[in-house]
């Protein structure tokens, strides 16, 4: 069983950036020197719970020096690089400029600020179509919730119904990189996403071709009658419809093995889609992995 002396601790500096690991004695000495305060947040390595340093050390008030004044705004070069994306933060044009609240590259908060739905949507906009890096589960859910509500609103408002197909296409395009980043965050490869996309396109091609082939005569008949200014001939439309479905039925009976193969492909694509959905709803992989640092657990659980 490990003791306090063997446990390593991280602490948050003035910019809310984790520092360490340090031993408990090192933290005690830094507190007595005035470099840290009893309010400094510390957490044991592997423990997600932060607590005040004074509660951990349990020092008497007489042994603690007075709390130092709040630090003034430091030049941006003191931040070094972003703890999330690792990109350097360039100095400000004026030395007295306040510290930034978010990274200019990945738009992640540089301080411990609580994210909300609008924050995740801004982060999605900042990522764009980039598939590198990792995205949290809340970011993934916020995107799909926003897309679903937007399409529902466009469908209920007649003037906006004309743009619904274009919005659907845009959401499908943006869904690919955010799903890839979500797979990366759970420690999985994006191969399943690309296989699912390719399989979905392949299983939709045969039905689209059949509908175009056997619905085309009916569409031509309607267009000819509309161009002539005549009312639709129900008897003629019934005959064309019966011939079309009869031809489609004969074609499917003649290619039974192809139909069975297409049905098996549909089941495989559905299973792969379910797998991707389940993986994307899993919790984030703790700590950094081969795809970058964790946006939720940068130091592990």
């Amino acid at each position: 069983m490990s003791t306090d002396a063997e446990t390593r601790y991280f602490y948050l500096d003035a910019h809310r950036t984790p520092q360490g690991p340090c031993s408990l004695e090192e933290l005690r000495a830094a507190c007595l020197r005035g470099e840290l305060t009893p309010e400094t947040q510390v957490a044991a390595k592997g423990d997600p719970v932060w607590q005040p340093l004074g509660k951990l050390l349990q020092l008497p008030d007489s042994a603690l020096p007075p709390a130092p004044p709040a630090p003034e705004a430091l030049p941006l070069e003191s931040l070094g690089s972003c703890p999330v994306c690792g990109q350097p933060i360039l100095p400000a044009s004026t030395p007295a400029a306040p510290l930034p609240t978010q990274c200019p590259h990945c738009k992640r908060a540089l301080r411990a600020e609580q994210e909300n739905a609008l924050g995740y949507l801004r982060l999605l906009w900042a990522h764009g179509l980039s598939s590198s890096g990792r995205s949290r589960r809340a970011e993934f859910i916020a995107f799909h919730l926003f897309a679903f509500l937007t399409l529902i609103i466009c469908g209920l408002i007649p003037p906006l119904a004309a743009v619904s197909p274009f919005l659907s296409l845009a959401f499908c395009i943006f869904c690919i990189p955010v799903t890839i980043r979500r797979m990366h965050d759970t420690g999985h490869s994006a191969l399943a996403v690309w296989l699912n996309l390719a399989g979905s396109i392949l299983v939709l091609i045969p039905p689209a071709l059949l509908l175009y082939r056997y619905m085309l005569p009916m569409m031509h008949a309607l267009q000819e009658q509309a161009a002539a200014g005549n009312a639709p001939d129900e008897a003629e439309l019934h005959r064309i419809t019966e011939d079309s479905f009869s031809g489609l039925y004969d074609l499917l009976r003649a290619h039974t093995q192809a139909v069975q193969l297409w049905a098996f492909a549909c089941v495989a694509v559905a299973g792969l889609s379910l797998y991707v959905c389940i993986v994307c709803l899993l919790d984030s992989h703790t700590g950094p992995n081969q795809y970058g640092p964790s946006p939720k657990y940068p130091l592990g659980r």
Side-chain angles (χ1 to χ4, degrees):
M1 182 175 179
S2 61
T3 63
D4 288 343
E6 299 171 350
T7 305
R8 310 295 288 180
Y9 295 88
F10 293 90
Y11 67 91
L12 298 180
D13 61 12
H15 307 299
R16 308 292 294 179
T17 302
Q19 302 292 341
C22 307
S23 66
L24 186 61
E25 291 302 323
E26 291 173 339
L27 292 177
R28 186 190 304 272
C31 187
L32 293 176
R33 292 194 303 267
E35 299 175 359
L36 302 178
T37 66
E39 291 76 21
T40 301
Q41 296 294 311
V42 297
K45 185 176 182 180
D47 187 359
V49 179
W50 296 84
Q51 59 179 325
L53 179 58
K55 180 180 179 181
L56 179 65
L57 295 178
Q58 297 180 352
L59 293 174
D61 295 339
S62 58
L64 296 176
E72 298 180 355
L74 300 177
L76 288 182
E77 57 263 28
S78 63
L79 292 179
S81 59
C82 174
V84 177
C85 67
Q87 294 292 329
I89 300 177
L90 301 179
S93 56
T94 57
L99 294 173
T101 59
Q102 63 180 10
C103 174
H105 304 283
C106 66
K107 307 304 179 184
R108 298 293 296 186
L110 294 177
R111 301 178 184 178
E113 298 178 355
Q114 186 176 3
E115 299 273 11
N116 52 28
L118 292 179
Y120 286 121
L121 291 179
R122 288 194 297 267
L123 185 59
L124 282 167
W125 179 263
H127 279 149
L129 297 177
S130 174
S131 59
S132 61
R134 300 166 60 173
S135 291
R136 292 182 58 175
R137 177 170 48 188
E139 182 181 339
F140 176 80
I141 296 176
F143 167 77
H144 285 83
L145 184 60
F146 173 75
F148 175 75
L149 293 178
T150 302
L151 293 178
I152 289 295
I153 293 174
C154 291
L156 295 177
I157 302 177
L160 299 179
V163 300
S164 294
F166 301 99
L167 286 177
S168 300
L169 179 61
F171 286 139
C172 289
I173 294 175
F174 275 92
C175 180
I176 298 174
V178 70
T179 305
I180 292 177
R181 294 195 302 269
R182 182 83 268 273
M183 296 285 288
H184 288 171
D185 191 45
T186 58
H188 293 78
S189 171
L191 179 62
V193 179
W194 294 114
L195 290 178
N196 186 31
L197 178 63
S200 301
I201 295 175
L202 290 177
V203 299
L204 288 177
I205 290 178
L209 294 177
L210 291 177
L211 288 177
Y212 180 79
R213 167 65 179 83
Y214 290 98
M215 294 296 291
L216 191 60
M218 185 184 304
M219 296 172 59
H220 282 170
L222 290 174
Q223 291 176 356
E224 291 176 357
Q225 294 181 13
N230 301 327
D233 189 351
E234 295 183 1
E236 181 67 15
L237 290 178
H238 180 73
R239 184 189 64 81
I240 295 175
T241 304
E242 186 177 354
D243 293 343
S244 298
F245 281 100
S246 177
L248 177 61
Y249 178 73
D250 294 338
L251 178 66
L252 296 179
R253 286 191 59 185
H255 299 83
T256 306
Q257 293 183 350
V259 174
Q260 294 176 349
L261 181 62
W262 176 81
F264 176 78
C266 290
V267 174
V269 170
L272 190 58
S273 301
L274 181 61
Y275 166 76
V276 172
C277 182
I278 293 176
V279 170
C280 289
L281 293 179
L282 296 176
D283 196 8
S284 302
H285 182 269
T286 58
N289 57 19
Q290 64 269 33
Y291 304 107
S294 172
K296 186 175 182 180
Y297 303 114
L299 304 177
R301 286 188 181 272

